[in-house]
Amino acid sequence: MPFESGKIYKLSNFKTGSALTLKSSTCLVVGDMFEGKPNQLWEAESTPMGSWSFKNVEHPGLYLGLERKIVANDGELVVGVSYPFAWAPKRVGKAASPVMFKLCIPYTNQVLDLNLNGGWANGIRIQVYTDWGVRQDNQKWIINTNTTFKHPVTAGGIYRITNRASGTVVHVEDSKKVAGYSFNDGRNQKWEAILDELTGFWCFRNPWSGLYLAIDSDLNPAEKVSKARVVGVPQRFAWDLLLARGYGHQGEECRIVLPYTDLHLDLDSGKADPGAIINISPRETGGWRQLWKFELIDGGNLNVSDAPAVREPV
């Protein structure tokens, strides 16, 4: 059997990493970033017919499914229903991790589907749709018992921020421009994570200079924010952190995103060259240059008299 009856599972989409999330206000099921919330957890139950149902942990009276008397057709919304809805899991892909399934509706050609027009944000439409075969990644689901959630940073921690593509770190230069350099334990390469508890967004402050990671505020209003240079500024600047997800990604990296946009902290071409420009740009699928790892430094203690800043080339 693919699952164990009574066990709690997380159901996440292979393409985007979005977790099936039951919205209590509407009973709609949507794809959201996984945060370990009870409305994102599902208890598996076997049925006498050999199929499976999934009961929501936060709302144990509601199951993943379609309303009664609804004909399963392309685009029909998936909701929380008051009875055990039958799904027929079908294993897809190779035996290697991650283990993926399609959730099929018995006696139809319809499967659980994440709407391709939903982008990568929260609130992506979950529906049923014609099974388009093994290449359709938005119809593949990783279903496992690993329901823990760990945020990439802790408020007050001191971190180096390392790029996945280059291995270089976020470094504030004397000119207040931010660029990529090899890590040398320099004080201008260390960042304190500050949480805005009201919004849930993060600020990153270099304790040596007092500057915050931000985008250039001197942009001409006619200029597009996209591709704006990242700089250090004296006032707080908010960023959103999104754990890297999609295509089975299980790493510790995250995306550093301008709130309410699809603009991501980006290392120019993923270059390891000293002084490589860091800017913001639209999401690049599979782009390692937009993935960043927060690595705690010395347990998070900062000594402002440590190694001097590395100056940018003249």
Side-chain angles (χ1 to χ4, degrees):
M1 291 194 298
F3 314 116
E4 186 176 336
S5 194
K7 277 270 192 181
I8 306 300
Y9 292 86
K10 171 181 69 176
L11 287 74
S12 55
N13 189 262
F14 177 65
K15 182 177 187 292
T16 65
S18 307
L20 292 184
T21 305
L22 179 62
K23 296 296 186 182
S24 56
S25 58
T26 61
C27 285
L28 285 175
V29 176
V30 299
D32 277 359
M33 180 177 72
F34 183 71
E35 296 179 296
K37 297 176 180 178
N39 65 333
Q40 298 180 312
L41 305 178
W42 303 84
E43 180 182 343
E45 293 182 354
S46 59
T47 70
M49 301 296 291
S51 53
W52 291 84
S53 62
F54 296 93
K55 180 170 63 175
N56 191 259
V57 168
E58 183 172 83
H59 305 283
L62 295 177
Y63 294 79
L64 183 73
L66 301 178
E67 292 286 4
R68 283 192 176 97
K69 300 182 180 179
I70 291 289
V71 176
N73 284 319
D74 288 353
E76 196 64 51
L77 290 177
V78 174
V79 297
V81 297
S82 60
Y83 66 97
F85 185 90
W87 296 96
K90 180 173 70 174
R91 176 79 178 268
V92 293
K94 299 178 181 178
S97 180
V99 177
M100 293 179 290
F101 295 88
K102 287 204 172 192
L103 291 181
C104 311
I105 299 179
Y107 314 114
T108 76
N109 65 347
Q110 298 282 305
V111 298
L112 189 68
D113 178 283
L114 178 134
N115 189 289
L116 279 173
N117 297 320
W120 297 78
N122 282 344
I124 304 175
R125 173 186 178 126
I126 303 297
Q127 59 193 9
V128 296
Y129 215 86
T130 300
D131 185 351
W132 287 104
V134 295
R135 293 176 182 249
Q136 201 71 18
D137 290 335
N138 63 309
Q139 296 181 339
K140 299 175 185 175
W141 300 90
I142 299 170
I143 305 175
N144 61 43
T145 56
N146 180 10
T147 59
T148 58
F149 173 75
K150 182 182 177 182
H151 209 281
V153 296
T154 302
I158 306 296
Y159 297 87
R160 64 181 179 187
I161 308 173
T162 305
N163 186 264
R164 171 76 180 275
S166 67
T168 55
V169 300
V170 175
H171 167 122
V172 60
E173 299 173 334
D174 290 350
S175 63
K176 299 184 181 179
K177 293 180 179 178
V178 171
Y181 283 87
S182 295
F183 183 67
N184 73 336
D185 205 28
R187 56 193 179 186
N188 57 344
Q189 299 179 332
K190 301 179 180 182
W191 301 89
E192 178 188 4
I194 301 171
L195 174 65
D196 185 329
E197 295 186 359
L198 186 62
T199 64
F201 296 137
W202 292 86
C203 302
F204 300 103
R205 176 180 174 270
N206 177 249
W208 168 69
S209 65
L211 298 177
Y212 291 85
L213 195 68
I215 62 171
D216 189 351
S217 60
D218 294 329
L219 292 173
N220 184 313
E223 254 185 298
K224 294 177 95 175
V225 175
S226 176
K227 293 296 183 183
R229 181 75 190 257
V230 175
V231 297
V233 299
Q235 67 275 3
R236 289 192 175 196
F237 190 92
W239 297 94
D240 200 3
L241 295 184
L242 302 179
L243 283 172
R245 54 182 180 158
Y247 297 102
H249 193 283
Q250 302 295 320
E252 298 177 350
E253 295 94 355
C254 64
R255 291 176 176 272
I256 304 173
V257 184
L258 198 62
Y260 309 113
T261 75
D262 193 34
L263 297 173
H264 302 240
L265 199 72
D266 187 304
L267 179 68
D268 182 32
S269 300
K271 297 175 183 175
D273 302 345
I277 292 173
I278 295 177
N279 55 23
I280 57 171
S281 63
R283 182 188 180 105
E284 180 183 274
T285 301
W288 284 11
R289 71 190 200 198
Q290 294 179 343
L291 298 182
W292 305 87
K293 184 176 181 180
F294 286 83
E295 298 175 281
L296 197 64
I297 297 175
D298 297 330
N301 296 319
L302 181 79
N303 181 354
V304 295
S305 64
D306 56 10
V310 176
R311 301 181 66 87
E312 63 270 28
V314 176

